[in-house]
Amino acid sequence: MAQLPVAFQAQMKNILKEDYPVFAASLETDPPVSLHLHPLKKGAQFPTETVVPWHIKGRYLAERPSFTLDPLFHAGAYYVQEASSMLVAAAFRQCFPGDRPLRVLDLCAAPGGKSTLLTSLLPEGSWLLANEVIRSRYQILRYNLSKWGYANTFTSNHDVEDFKKLAGFFDLVLVDAPCSGEGLFRKDQAARQEWSPESVNLCAARQGRILKTAAELVAPGGVLLYSTCTYNQQENDENAAWLANESGLTYKDLDFPAQWGLEKRTHGYQAYPHRIRGEGFFLAALQKPEIEAQPKFKATPFRKLQTVDRKLEELAKPWIAPDANYRYFTSGKGSWRILADHLLQDAQILSQHLNRLEVGTILGDPKGKQLVPSPEWALQLDCRADLPHLEVDHDTALEFLRKATPPLSGLPKGWVLIRHQGLNLGWVKGLGNRYNNYYPKQWRIRMGKS
């Protein structure tokens, strides 16, 4: 293993004092394996698992399986996430104990662990916008949210400065800020080699820029959750103190049980790998006073989406759960998107100010008097349950996910959902004596990948 940087050792000895040797030894052990389960896509089971104390759907595994070779992973039955970062779920439950609909922004969302986590907890009528500024990471974020299957998530590819006209719009803003990665030193040896005091200072300054605007986006009475996967004072305590003293937000104390092993800081909570079963993580909650006036936002029609002709809507309805209430839109590329009726106004407000915004769920592409269903739609919770489908075993599912054409007995003609253990994986189209595999090329898994 790469040696811990000398300056990092000095920093942590100053923070932890006599506790440092135990901390340093913990960084040379194997990291715990953890994930959170989808609350509605059932079926994922592992030989030995225990519950993460701060999230009822979180699980520790005794060893790391090959997730990529598990069809249920591709169906969205679970998301592989570091356990400490699931503390966001516990913070959310304390900050929002009621059931009123919420507007949520995950500002630095890729690859999607905290977005999927929060989406699973939101009250009815809520929505979440997952944003990522780096384009390549944004594509991964979109894929992971597609697998999770909720229709109340939007995605955007913007810098924080682009959100300024939405000041006061969000009930919750989560900033899981890009950081120096000290909390990754156990599982990522490259992070040790890339770390330096200069990178800490650079990250702290970048975080400050993000937080300055993020604080403005919080609605009166709303909350900003700030987190990093690091330990140092500059990125954690000093940024949290600035938020509490200069941003107009008030520090919100959280009631985390002592047995969880977190260290309470002046303006947040620190997780250390020698005290909890997880990696390094910092979390702080800050609230905006309710005395401020709620800003007014006016919805206007979408600029890039047009309403689908009502006569053509009948093409879409056979694909959608009968109790779902959607509006239908089409883009310049011809794809149809569906958007829950109660989310329309907020989606239109967002679209006025964010040019690289994806709202609604891609249902498919019209082709004559038929609709070609999208790969994303197969994974959505509102995909109609009684569509033609074929249950396949583990090996056949993997062949399908590799975009191969394994033998499928009993396959009817037309569009058919491929399922494994009752969960949708994607589409094939039966053509009589053969079929076409419509699993996306960019999603396919490769032999030996884990």
Side-chain angles (χ1 to χ4, degrees):
M1 287 188 175
Q3 292 296 311
L4 293 172
V6 173
F8 174 76
Q9 294 183 49
Q11 167 192 288
M12 297 310 298
K13 287 176 182 177
N14 183 54
I15 293 173
L16 292 171
K17 310 300 190 229
E18 66 276 2
D19 224 15
Y20 173 76
V22 184
F23 164 78
S26 74
L27 298 186
E28 308 308 318
T29 63
D30 291 333
V33 180
S34 55
L35 54 85
H36 67 260
L37 300 171
H38 197 294
L40 299 175
K41 293 186 177 185
K42 309 292 186 180
Q45 294 182 330
F46 302 91
T48 305
E49 58 181 44
T50 55
V51 177
V52 174
W54 40 88
H55 182 46
I56 193 171
K57 291 293 183 180
R59 296 291 185 272
Y60 291 110
L61 308 187
E63 57 185 18
R64 186 180 184 88
S66 179
F67 293 119
T68 306
L69 300 182
D70 180 7
L72 296 184
F73 170 74
H74 298 277
Y78 58 89
Y79 187 100
V80 182
Q81 184 181 25
E82 200 283 306
S84 296
S85 64
M86 297 183 207
L87 285 162
V88 168
F92 173 83
R93 289 191 296 268
Q94 290 190 35
C95 294
F96 299 96
D99 58 1
R100 70 179 179 91
L102 300 172
R103 298 164 167 170
V104 178
L105 171 63
D106 186 352
L107 194 54
C108 312
K114 296 176 183 67
S115 289
T116 55
L117 187 74
L118 287 173
T119 302
S120 303
L121 301 173
L122 293 179
E124 185 176 353
S126 305
W127 53 262
L128 179 143
L129 170 58
N131 178 74
E132 173 56 45
V133 66
I134 300 174
R135 187 68 186 177
S136 59
R137 288 171 56 82
Y138 173 67
Q139 297 301 334
I140 297 170
L141 173 66
R142 287 192 62 196
Y143 168 60
N144 285 327
L145 286 176
S146 293
K147 288 197 298 182
W148 212 241
Y150 282 83
N152 64 341
T153 57
F154 311 142
T155 60
S156 61
N157 175 219
H158 280 274
D159 183 79
V160 63
E161 297 296 318
D162 299 335
F163 285 84
K164 281 192 169 182
K165 292 184 179 179
L166 290 164
F169 189 63
F170 300 96
D171 299 298
L172 170 62
V173 176
L174 169 63
V175 180
D176 183 48
C179 70
S180 61
E182 295 168 353
L184 305 177
F185 280 5
R186 176 159 58 173
K187 64 180 182 180
D188 184 356
Q189 295 299 302
R192 300 185 182 198
Q193 299 172 330
E194 294 167 1
W195 185 92
S196 69
E198 292 74 22
S199 71
V200 169
N201 293 331
L202 180 64
C203 288
R206 183 191 301 129
Q207 292 153 1
R209 182 184 78 87
I210 295 172
L211 290 171
K212 185 176 186 299
T213 299
E216 299 171 3
L217 304 180
V218 181
V223 172
L224 186 149
L225 289 178
Y226 174 58
S227 65
T228 72
C229 55
T230 193
Y231 308 109
N232 64 74
Q233 303 282 332
Q234 298 98 304
E235 295 182 77
N236 295 343
D237 304 69
E238 293 178 14
N239 275 331
W242 178 87
L243 281 170
N245 298 324
E246 305 292 337
S247 70
L249 305 181
T250 302
Y251 174 67
K252 185 177 179 65
D253 207 3
L254 300 172
D255 184 18
F256 289 158
Q259 59 265 33
W260 288 1
L262 299 169
E263 180 181 292
K264 191 176 188 304
R265 297 274 185 90
T266 304
H267 294 104
Y269 298 82
Q270 182 71 55
Y272 291 104
H274 65 297
R275 295 178 183 169
I276 73 167
R277 195 176 173 188
E279 302 295 6
F281 190 70
F282 175 83
L283 178 65
L286 300 105
Q287 189 164 28
K288 180 167 285 189
E290 294 191 38
I291 57 174
E292 295 187 17
Q294 181 73 41
K296 303 289 185 182
F297 295 92
K298 183 180 179 181
T300 59
F302 292 119
R303 290 171 294 176
K304 297 181 180 179
L305 297 176
Q306 298 82 43
T307 304
V308 170
D309 189 294
R310 285 195 171 274
K311 294 180 180 178
L312 296 176
E313 285 185 7
E314 297 303 315
L315 294 179
K317 292 180 179 178
W319 302 92
I320 301 170
D323 56 347
N325 187 15
Y326 285 113
R327 297 284 188 95
Y328 302 88
F329 297 92
T330 181
S331 66
K333 297 180 181 178
S335 297
W336 284 13
R337 293 178 177 271
I338 60 172
L339 181 66
D341 189 65
H342 66 279
L343 301 181
L344 176 61
Q345 287 194 356
D346 281 355
Q348 290 175 331
I349 291 169
L350 291 172
S351 71
Q352 292 172 43
H353 306 295
L354 302 172
N355 292 326
R356 296 183 299 281
L357 171 76
E358 300 279 347
V359 298
T361 304
I362 300 176
L363 178 63
D365 296 312
K367 189 174 182 181
K369 295 183 178 180
Q370 294 183 334
L371 194 72
V372 177
S374 73
E376 293 91 342
W377 187 248
L379 302 171
Q380 293 297 299
L381 295 172
D382 278 338
C383 182
R384 193 177 181 107
D386 59 358
L387 288 169
H389 60 273
L390 183 67
E391 178 75 20
V392 299
D393 61 21
H394 178 272
D395 291 344
T396 305
L398 288 183
E399 286 300 299
F400 169 77
L401 294 168
R402 290 175 176 129
K403 203 169 171 56
T405 51
L408 298 177
S409 59
L411 186 70
K413 287 186 178 181
W415 292 103
V416 180
L417 281 164
I418 299 300
R419 288 181 182 166
H420 178 65
Q421 296 187 25
L423 297 181
N424 295 345
L425 297 174
W427 305 99
V428 298
K429 189 173 185 181
L431 303 172
N433 59 348
R434 61 183 180 86
Y435 69 91
N436 289 335
N437 183 341
Y438 276 80
Y439 198 70
K441 182 178 180 180
Q442 66 273 22
W443 291 4
R444 75 189 189 279
I445 63 176
R446 302 178 187 276
M447 294 290 285
K449 187 177 179 182
S450 62

